[in-house]
Amino acid sequence: MPYVNIKITNENVTAAKKAELIKGATQLLVDVLGKNPNTTVVVIDEVDTDNWGVAGETITARRQKGQ
């Protein structure tokens, strides 16, 4: 049973976009590894931008700077 964990920043991603991510990740495992889509698990974790950092800064700070 494949398990895929996708982590994204919590920035108002719609339910429709999340459904696309789940469908796409599942299909990728089917296409590349021949996995059964009926036993493929995809979990999306949304992380607050204060809890995610790049280059020593939170995403919140980077967004405020326009980066």
Side-chain angles (χ1 to χ4, degrees):
M1 173 189 311
Y3 176 93
V4 177
N5 184 225
I6 300 171
K7 294 185 183 281
I8 59 174
T9 52
N10 187 0
E11 297 181 272
N12 301 314
V13 177
T14 65
K17 288 294 183 185
K18 291 175 195 175
E20 284 185 57
L21 283 171
I22 292 168
K23 184 176 181 179
T26 300
Q27 192 60 50
L28 180 64
L29 288 172
V30 170
D31 294 345
V32 175
L33 299 177
K35 296 298 182 179
N36 182 347
N38 295 320
T39 59
T40 298
V41 175
V42 179
V43 175
I44 299 172
D45 290 325
E46 291 182 280
V47 180
D48 189 83
T49 57
D50 287 338
N51 298 330
W52 188 305
V54 175
E57 295 182 293
T58 66
I59 296 301
T60 302
R62 292 175 66 85
R63 294 285 190 269
Q64 290 170 347
K65 292 180 188 178
Q67 296 177 321

